[in-house]
């Protein structure tokens, strides 16, 4: 049995979960509302304050969907209750970020500033000119937007300059050591 799939999800106070006959799961909470279409073969049981995900058989497809479905529903519950955030660091001389309304302006060594508009449901907070926090209730969209920001200047291995995640470990190379005699 899937280790992730068999774990029950506790429904916190203030969060409501509704499941339609087509397995459309809608989660409402203090931060907003999310919905996800779960495969029709997977059964979702709500029993008071706990939700369990049950698979009909042990075939490979059902085993794969079991843990996935449980993780998606759990991420929706956590998202509407607490939200998700991804911290980014900008490393490099002259590299910086600024917020202008809903637009994020990045100076990353290009000939022009990179301007990105925040998507719906996602906010970017510039803590310092070299530190960003991407926040939202949908874990997938937060991670996707953070990776789009990082793509503009990925960390390079020699000096470590670029946009990196706060928990990312950039492996550094030594560089040229000169001519051997």
């Amino acid at each position: 049995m899937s280790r992730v799939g068999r774990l029950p999800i506790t429904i916190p106070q203030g969060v409501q979960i509704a499941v339609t006959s087509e397995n459309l799961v809608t989660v409402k909470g203090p931060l907003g509302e999310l919905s996800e279409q779960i495969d029709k073969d997977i059964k979702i049981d709500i029993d008071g304050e706990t939700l369990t995900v049950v698979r009909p058989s042990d075939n490979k497809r059902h085993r794969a969907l079991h843990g996935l479905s449980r993780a998606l529903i759990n991420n929706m519950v956590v998202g509407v209750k607490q939200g998700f955030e991804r911290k980014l660091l900008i490393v490099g001389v002259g590299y910086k970020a600024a917020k202008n309304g809903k637009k994020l302006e990045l100076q990353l060594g290009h000939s022009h500033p990179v301007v990105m508009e925040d998507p719906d449901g996602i906010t970017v907070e510039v803590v310092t000119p070299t530190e960003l926090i991407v926040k939202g209730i949908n874990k997938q969209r937060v991670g996707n937007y953070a990776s789009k920001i990082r793509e503009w200047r990925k960390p390079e291995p020699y000096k470590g300059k670029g946009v990196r995640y706060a928990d990312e470990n950039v492996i550094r190379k030594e560089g040229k050591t000169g001519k051997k005699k």
Side-chain angles (χ1 to χ4, degrees), residues 165-176:
Y165 299 117
D167 57 354
E168 183 178 6
N169 184 18
V170 178
I171 298 171
R172 303 282 295 272
K173 291 184 179 178
E174 191 173 316
K176 294 183 181 180

Side-chain angles (χ1 to χ4, degrees), residues 69-89:
S69 302
R70 191 258 178 213
L72 289 173
I73 295 169
N74 188 53
N75 286 342
M76 288 193 295
V77 170
V78 172
V80 298
K81 184 68 177 174
Q82 299 166 259
F84 292 101
E85 65 178 40
R86 199 76 162 113
K87 198 175 200 180
L88 296 166
L89 301 175

Side-chain angles (χ1 to χ4, degrees), residues 86 88 97-99 101-104 106 116-119 122-127 131-136 145-146 149:
R86 199 76 162 113
L88 296 166
K99 192 75 171 158
K102 282 194 73 166
K103 295 187 183 209
L104 175 69
L106 301 166
M116 299 177 75
E117 189 164 338
D118 295 348
I122 304 291
T123 58
V124 177
E125 183 181 320
V126 179
V127 181
E131 193 176 320
L132 305 170
I133 299 176
V134 181
K135 295 181 179 181
Y145 191 59
I149 294 171

Side-chain angles (χ1 to χ4, degrees), residues 27-150:
V27 181
K28 292 180 187 172
L31 296 180
E33 178 180 334
L34 292 172
S35 61
E36 184 78 39
Q37 180 68 46
I38 304 297
D39 193 89
K40 292 180 181 170
D41 292 343
I42 302 297
K43 187 177 175 220
I44 300 164
D45 293 330
I46 300 175
D47 187 35
E49 295 299 311
T50 60
L51 181 142
T52 52
V53 178
V54 182
R55 66 178 184 221
S57 70
D58 269 348
N59 75 35
K60 189 174 182 178
R61 181 172 176 275
H62 291 153
R63 286 194 320 257
L65 288 171
H66 190 209
L68 170 71
S69 302
R70 191 258 178 213
L72 289 173
I73 295 169
N74 188 53
N75 286 342
M76 288 193 295
V77 170
V78 172
V80 298
K81 184 68 177 174
Q82 299 166 259
F84 292 101
E85 65 178 40
R86 199 76 162 113
K87 198 175 200 180
L88 296 166
L89 301 175
I90 301 173
V91 178
V93 178
Y95 291 6
K96 60 185 178 179
K99 192 75 171 158
N100 189 5
K102 282 194 73 166
K103 295 187 183 209
L104 175 69
E105 293 182 13
L106 301 166
Q107 298 283 340
L108 298 173
H110 296 289
S111 63
H112 59 282
V114 176
V115 179
M116 299 177 75
E117 189 164 338
D118 295 348
D120 293 336
I122 304 291
T123 58
V124 177
E125 183 181 320
V126 179
V127 181
T128 65
T130 59
E131 193 176 320
L132 305 170
I133 299 176
V134 181
K135 295 181 179 181
I137 61 172
N138 189 326
K139 186 175 187 178
Q140 181 180 353
R141 293 185 66 197
V142 167
N144 189 25
Y145 191 59
S147 72
K148 283 183 181 177
I149 294 171
R150 184 181 177 271

